[in-house]
Structures are given as C-alpha cells and as structure tokens.
C-alpha cells in the first residue's frame, strides 16, 4: 500500500464544503421569520423575572413553576439555573411559585412596570392523617405542555426505589420508565425506543458521559447524593440537544448549600459515600465535594495475604466537585467536575499480571448573565474524556491496550421570554473530538511493537439551533425548532481508499488540521398539543436527528471491544426520524395522570462489525464495519399516582425493533439484540408512619435475543460448530424480579442534630434465576457415541440478596 497526496482524492468521496454556509443561511432566515412574526408587546403588560431557590440551602430549583394565579396556563418553568420570566397584565396580580416537596409561595403586588422577584421556597411537610402530600410538579403539566416522552425524576423519588445492596442508582431508576430498557442483569446501559446504547446523549452538568457504568455496568457512575435533578427526553427532543438519535438524559449536580455547612453520607455493604457542602461566602458562593468508593478489596486484603490470590482485587471510586459564585442577580459563575475510575487487578502464581483501569473525567465552567427581564444567557466551556486500558505482563512480554475519546466543547445558549405567547431558545455549540479506537504497545525482550499514531482520529462538530414554544390559544400550543449541524473529520490521518468491491487498495495521508470529509444536516423538530378539555389533551411530534460519532460493539465477544469511532469518508453519519402521537389524561383533581403514546422510529446508516470480525493491528477498524438500517415501533402505557401517602407508577411497553444489513443474515431483517416485545415496570412507595417508608418494584421483560450454534460436528477429529439459525433467532427466558425496601427514620424528635436512617432492602425477593447468558456445549449421548447433541447452559448472577445501609446527615 502506498501513500499518495491527498490531491488524488477520488471525486466519489463525499465533499460538501459549502454545507455549513448553507446551513447558517437557512438558520438566520428562520430566526428572522420567527422574530418578525412575534406580536407587538401590549402597552399594558409587564415582565416579572427572577430566580427560584430553596430557602434552607439557597440552591436553585430547576423546573419550579411560576404563574399568575388568574391565568395558570400562561405560567412558566424555571430553567436549569432557576431563572424564570413571565409577562402579566398591568394591575394587582397574585404571582405564585411551586415546586416538588415545597410549600407554594404567593406574592401579591401592584404591577406597574417590569419587576424582579426572587422566590425562596420552604420545604413542605407531609401530613399523614390526610390524603395530601406536596405534589411533585405543576399539577396539570402532563396535559398542558407540548412535551412528549419527557420525564423528570427527583432525587427523592430515585432514593425511595429499592436498590441492590443499598446503592441508589439513577440509571436503574430511569430503566423503570416505559420505552426504556436495560440489556440484562449486569448493565447500566439505556436502550430507548429501539435505539442502541450509543444513541443516548447522557450529560452531567452539560458534559458528555461516554460510559455510565461501574463494575462492567452493574452500577451507574452517578452518585445520587451529588445530584439535584434528572430529566429524560425520549420523544420530542428539543432543538437545543443533538448529536444522538434516541434520547437525552440530562443530569444536574447540586450547587452546594449557600447558608450553612452540611455533611451527609452513607455506609452500605459494598461501598461508602460522603458529601460535604457549604458556603464559601454566605449567600454568595458555595461548594460541594462528594466521594464514593467500594471497599471489598480493602477488607479482603488481610485474608488474601500469603495466598495464591494476593494482589487480586477490584474497586471503583468517583468524585464530584462543584463551586459557584453569585456576583449579582445578573451574573453567576459555576465550576464543576467529575472523576471516576474502575480498577481490576489480577495476578497469577505463574507470573501473569493484569491491570485494567477505565473511567470518565469531566470539567464544566459556566457563566450565567441576565441581559434583561426577558433575555438570559449561559456560556459554557466543557472538557470530558473516557478511556479504557489493559496492561498485561508475563515473563519478558509486556503489552498495553488503550481505547478512548476526548472532547473540548464550547456552548452558548440564550433563553428569550418574548411574551406570554412565545418562549424562544437559541444558541450554538462547538466540539473538537479526538478518538483513539485502539492503540497497542507490546515488547518481547528487545523486540517492540507499536501501532501507528495515525490510529487517532480528530473531528470538528458544530451546531446552531432555534426553537419557539408558541401558545396560540389555551387549547393549542406548538414547539417548533430547527437545528443545523455540521461535522468535519481532519488530519493527521491515513485514510484508506476503497475500490468498487469495498476493499482497500490505497491510502492517502492528511496533515494536521487538514480537512478530510465534511457532513452537514438540517434537523427540524416539531411538537403539537391540542387540549380536549382541562384534563385531557392530544399531542403529536416529529424529530429529525443526526449522529456523527458511533459506538461499535462485537456482540459475540466477551472482551471489552466496544469502540467509539467518528464518521469518516466510509462511515457515514447515522440518521433518525421519530414520529410520535399520544393521548394524555389527568384524573381525580390531578392526583392521577395517564398517557398512551405510539411511536415509529426509522434509523439509517447503522453500524455493526462484520460476522467474521477479527481485530487486526495497524488496520483501520472501519475496514471491519458493515452498514445497514433499522426501525422500531411500539406503544407505551403509563399510569402514575402523583399525590398521597401511597404513590408510584405502572409502565408498559409493547414494541418491536429490527435491523437490516445486506452482509448479515443473508440480507434478511433480524431482531436487534435489545429488542423486547413486552416490558413492564411497577413502582410503588407508601409512607406507613412518620418514621417508616415502604417501597416495592416489579419488572418483567421479554428475554434478550441472541445467536447460538445449533449444530456440532466432527471433521478429522476436530469439533466444529454451525450457526444454522437466523441472526438473533434465540430468546433467553423472560426476565422478572421483585424488590422490596423499608426505610426507618431513627430520629425520635424533630430537627435532630444528626439526621440518620436505616434502609433495609431485598433484591430478587422470590429468588428468580434470571438468565444472564446462555452458552451451547456439545453433548455425546451414551447410547449413540456417533452423534452430537447441543446442550444449552444458563448462567444466572444474583439470587435473593438482602442488604442494609445507614444514611446520615448533620
């Protein structure tokens, strides 16, 4: 293979240098059309704006609802920084603010001009003798908003769900929602409406988290003690989000207490955690430090000393940091970070050593500025990285395998509260990606093997967006948005040239920063809501998305060979279109909310490894990719009790997800490995008394699809297997499980100096042997030694597991 100048680049390779300019022109045109279509401001209307905070801690409340009591349907929710803005009629007004678990606060005053009002809400108290609890959000938001497939989960609700070994898990709580599935017992990945795990944009304080799991996916990386709010978008994705096809999981960290120092933590059977927060300068700045670590390796170390298992072990840890400063009501600065690591060590008596660390790191710097009562801005600089490493040695052989991705991201977002009928968001972001799909270094004595540095791949990704939440009437609302995205792969890179048969025949070397291939796309978003009555509405939506980076997994391998790779000349961006339609209804004075949603998702340019993939050093990994398409459709049923001492939800999904690859399964469509026909979740909690809270969850899901050999045969005394069945033609047994928990408040008096509780939980109450995996082995019948049968063996991980944990705060 020779190296040629990039000037000989084949004209068949897609090049679109004018795409970003065309996209920008369209974006500007749409922006001015929307702005010019805004109705003129009435002279007898004024704007009220400000922040909503927790009175006890001073932290911002995300999603608090602020409204004019005389016109609740024209209210607004605070953004992720607690800022709100509403336009009201001139004269005496009653403005109210409400939020989950807090008492509603009402302020009455005479509106004569634009005014700033900050709300500080008191945490609510639970009344056990009546069927009333502070509600979780705006009572009629389920039917009033244009949102489809959007779910907000408070940390309090997540902590009330029974947890395995006492480890509260944000991701596992999200997996209990309709349309969201896990891939099995030991996985923290999300499979949303038929999409793969890489098709979810998972953010922690705006930083992308590429790997969400500890212990190979058994626990998530999110420490619930450091989290303030979690929002999932699985239907109509707002235009401010992009780069993924299926969903957005937006996780926000706590700011830290502005008023007093506070320490809280917990001790469980596998890990402990500790959070310290408090003011740096009272009411102006605060900090938060939250850490978590497993300690099984520490406890086992004395017992392993002097044995064959000395030096073996596994542990994980993570650290959340945040600090912020309020310069004024108009300017705030936030700095947050996360660092987490898993480390697996293995040493054998024959001298073989293995060390396997992996993890994420993020850092986010944000500046909020309020230009006016109607215009809010946030500017962010973000860094995030994920890497996986395997270091092995035996005798004079030493090797290192490395895979990772690193991003530098800059964002600028604006909220324009134009008037009561228009809430506009617009902004731009830019990301510089560096991918290392694989890097291998090995030495044997004096010999050395190193993969070329050109295995690294670099790319620019940028987007601009605008969206408008329009209220035509009290019955008709629309959220319309447009996102324009652009992507460019750049050098240094050694790019293969392929012939008509798809085989590499030559290569082209690109210098640092030199453009290789450019892609761009327009991504319109539309959501409509029509109110049938005060308690019911119909919603419809369509979302166009593009994804320029990909996670490619070899599903037949037990090694960690999942790789993040960028779009290239050969690997095209993934494209998705999702259509959704839903009916939403509230009952019994908004105590119950119900919904039925149907969706259809079409996916293009899907990527898999070829059926006979074998990793090769110094070969571009994309040489082993095959490309196809997919689709998913289903119906989701959701019933939720929002108020009362007894509350929870029931979610059910009936769906089908298939993939079609010309080079796989003879070009016949096959079930995706995360296809689930039936998925059921029941989540309940009950406040038995002032000191006892009970909770239960039940899950049921169709078994995972996989491919197994169905024939074994001998040739010249060698045993061979034959996969003479359709791709993913076998189903594991259905998965189902019941979990229970009880929380005992140890405080006998109100407002104790140390607030502490014990949490008792039982995982897999009825000891269901759920299949983790199945493998096939040959079996020779005793009565016929000339034939070979296939025997399937099931591996199950977790029987019934009781646990206890102690939580404290002071």
């Amino acid at each position: 293979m020779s190296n040629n100048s990039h000037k000989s680049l084949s004209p068949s390779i897609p090049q679109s240098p004018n795409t970003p300019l065309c996209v920008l022109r369209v974006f500007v045109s749409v922006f001015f059309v929307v702005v010019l279509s805004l109705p003129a401001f009435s002279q007898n209307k004024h704007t009220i704006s400000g922040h909503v905070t927790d009175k006890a801690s001073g932290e911002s409340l995300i999603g608090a609802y602020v409204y004019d009591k005389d016109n609740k349907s024209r209210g607004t929710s605070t953004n992720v920084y607690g800022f709100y803005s509403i336009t009201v009629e001139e004269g005496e007004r009653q403005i109210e603010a409400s939020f989950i678990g807090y008492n509603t606060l009402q302020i009455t005053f005479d509106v004569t001009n634009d005014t700033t009002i900050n709300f500080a809400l008191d945490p609510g108290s639970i009344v056990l003798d009546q069927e009333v609890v502070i509600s979780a959000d705006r009572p009629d938001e389920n039917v009033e908003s244009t949102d489809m497939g959007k779910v907000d989960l408070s940390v309090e609700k997540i902590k009330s769900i029974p947890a395995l070994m006492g480890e509260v898990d944000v991701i596992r709580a999200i997996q209990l929602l309709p349309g969201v599935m896990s891939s099995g017992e030991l996985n923290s990945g999300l499979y949303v409406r038929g999409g793969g795990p890489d098709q979810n944009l998972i953010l922690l304080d705006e930083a992308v988290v590429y790997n969400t799991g500890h212990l190979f996916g058994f626990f998530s990386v999110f420490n619930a003690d450091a989290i303030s709010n979690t929002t999932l978008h699985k239907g109509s994705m707002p235009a401010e989000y992009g780069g993924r096809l299926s969903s957005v999981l937006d996780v926000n960290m706590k700011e830290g207490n502005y008023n007093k120092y506070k320490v809280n933590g917990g001790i469980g059977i596998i890990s402990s955690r500790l959070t310290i927060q408090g003011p740096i300068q009272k009411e102006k700045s605060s900090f938060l430090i939250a850490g978590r670590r497993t300690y099984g390796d520490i406890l086992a170390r004395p017992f392993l000393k002097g044995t064959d298992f000395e030096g073996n072990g596994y542990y994980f840890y993570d650290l959340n940091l945040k600090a912020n400063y309020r310069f004024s009501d108009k300017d705030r600065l936030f700095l947050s970070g996360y660092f987490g690591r898993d480390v697996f060590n293995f040493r054998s008596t024959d001298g073989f050593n293995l060390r396997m660390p992996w993890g994420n790191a993020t850092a986010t710097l944000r500046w909020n500025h309020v230009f006016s009562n109607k215009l809010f801005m946030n500017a962010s600089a973000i860094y995030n990285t994920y890497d996986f490493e395997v270091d092995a040695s035996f005798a004079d052989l030493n090797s290192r395998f490395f895979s990772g991705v690193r991003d530098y991201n800059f964002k600028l977002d604006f909220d324009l509260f134009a008037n009561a009928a228009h809430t506009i968001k617009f902004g731009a972001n830019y990301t510089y990606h560096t991918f290392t799909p694989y890097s291998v270094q090995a030495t044997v004595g004096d010999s050395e093997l190193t993969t070329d540095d050109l295995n690294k791949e670099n790319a620019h990704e940028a987007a601009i967006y605008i969206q408008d939440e329009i209220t035509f009437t009290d019955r008709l609302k629309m959220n319309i948005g447009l996102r324009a995205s652009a992507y460019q792969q750049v050098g240094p890179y050694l790019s293969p040239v392929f012939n008509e048969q798809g085989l590499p025949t030559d290569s082209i070397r690109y210098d640092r920063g030199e453009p290789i291939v450019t892609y761009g796309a327009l991504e319109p978003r539309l959501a409509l809501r029509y109110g049938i009555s005060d308690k019911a509405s119909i919603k419809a939506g369509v979302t166009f998305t593009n994804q320029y980076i990909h996670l490619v997994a070899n599903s037949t391998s037990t090694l960690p060979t999942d790789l993040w790779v960028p779009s290239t000349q050969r690997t095209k961006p993934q494209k998705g279109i999702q259509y959704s339609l839903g009916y939403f209804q509230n009952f019994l004075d908004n105590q119950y909310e119900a919904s039925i949603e149907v969706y259809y998702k079409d996916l293009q340019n899907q990527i898999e490894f070829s059926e006979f993939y074998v990793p090769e050093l110094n070969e571009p990994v994309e040489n082993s990719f095959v490309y196809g398409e997919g689709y998913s459709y289903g119906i989701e049923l959701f019933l939720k009790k929002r108020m009362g001492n007894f509350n929870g939800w029931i979610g059910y999904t009936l769906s089908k997800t298939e993939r079609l690859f010309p080079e796989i399964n003879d070009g016949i469509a096959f079930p995706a490995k995360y296809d689930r026909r039936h998925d059921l979740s029941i989540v309940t909690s009950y406040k038995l008394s002032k000191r006892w809270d009970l909770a239960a969850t039940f899950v049921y899901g169709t078994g995972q699809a996989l491919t197994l050999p169905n024939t074994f045969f001998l040739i010249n005394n060698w045993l061979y297997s034959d996969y003479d069945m359709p791709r993913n033609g076998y189903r594991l047994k259905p998965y189902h499980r019941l979990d229970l928990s009880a929380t005992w408040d140890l405080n006998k008096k109100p407002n104790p100096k140390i607030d502490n509780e014990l949490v008792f939980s039982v995982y897999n109450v009825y000891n269901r042997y759920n299949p983790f995996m199945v493998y096939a082995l040959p079996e020779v019948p005793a009565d016929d030694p000339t034939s070979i049968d296939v025997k399937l063996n099931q591996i199950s991980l977790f029987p019934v597991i009781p646990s206890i944990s102690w939580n404290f705060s002071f």
Side-chain angles (χ1 to χ4, degrees), residues 16 24-25 116 118 174 248 325 398 420-421 551 578 586 642:
S16 50
L24 180 61
R25 288 172 178 169
T116 298
N118 295 321
I174 294 294
V248 177
Y325 187 83
N398 295 277
L551 180 68
Q578 181 176 197
N586 283 10
R642 306 173 57 255

Side-chain angles (χ1 to χ4, degrees), residues 541-584:
V542 60
T543 301
F544 289 75
T545 51
N546 285 265
Q547 181 168 331
Y548 299 103
I549 65 174
H550 323 279
L551 180 68
V552 185
N554 179 12
S555 59
T556 63
S557 174
T558 58
L559 297 175
T561 55
D562 294 358
L563 304 175
W564 283 100
V565 297
S567 293
T568 63
Q569 296 165 333
R570 180 177 173 86
T571 304
K572 305 297 189 296
Q574 299 180 57
K575 297 180 179 295
I577 306 176
Q578 181 176 197
Y579 307 92
S580 52
L581 178 67
Y583 174 78
F584 298 78

Side-chain angles (χ1 to χ4, degrees), residues 127-264:
V127 181
L128 293 171
D129 299 331
Q130 305 172 17
E131 187 61 21
V132 59
V133 178
I134 300 297
S135 63
D137 43 38
R138 174 182 171 182
D140 57 357
E141 185 177 14
N142 181 51
V143 297
E144 283 291 334
S145 72
T146 59
D147 296 325
M148 292 186 67
K150 177 186 175 183
V151 181
D152 290 298
L153 274 184
S154 67
V155 172
E156 288 75 15
K157 186 61 184 177
I158 293 172
K159 288 183 176 181
S160 72
I161 296 173
L164 175 60
M165 300 181 184
E167 292 297 312
V168 176
D169 198 310
V170 172
I171 296 294
R172 291 194 177 274
I174 294 294
Q175 290 171 350
L176 296 172
L177 298 170
V180 185
M181 305 171 191
S182 69
S183 66
E185 188 90 76
L186 193 65
N187 197 293
S188 64
L190 297 178
Y191 300 87
V192 180
R193 291 186 171 179
D198 66 320
Q199 294 174 355
N200 306 300
L201 179 63
I202 300 178
L203 303 172
L204 177 63
D205 273 5
E206 300 190 58
V208 174
V209 179
Y210 279 99
N211 185 286
T212 60
H214 284 307
L215 189 55
F216 299 97
F218 185 42
F219 299 111
S220 78
V221 299
F222 301 113
N223 181 352
D225 288 348
I227 302 303
S228 67
N229 185 73
T230 301
T231 301
L232 174 71
H233 298 272
K234 58 186 174 74
S236 299
M237 189 184 299
E240 62 190 286
Y241 299 109
R244 302 294 189 275
L245 300 188
S246 288
S247 75
V248 177
L249 181 63
D250 197 352
V251 181
N252 292 283
M253 288 172 52
K254 293 178 179 178
E255 297 175 6
N257 198 305
Y258 287 86
N259 299 324
K260 62 180 180 180
Y261 295 100
K262 190 173 182 180
V263 177
N264 63 281

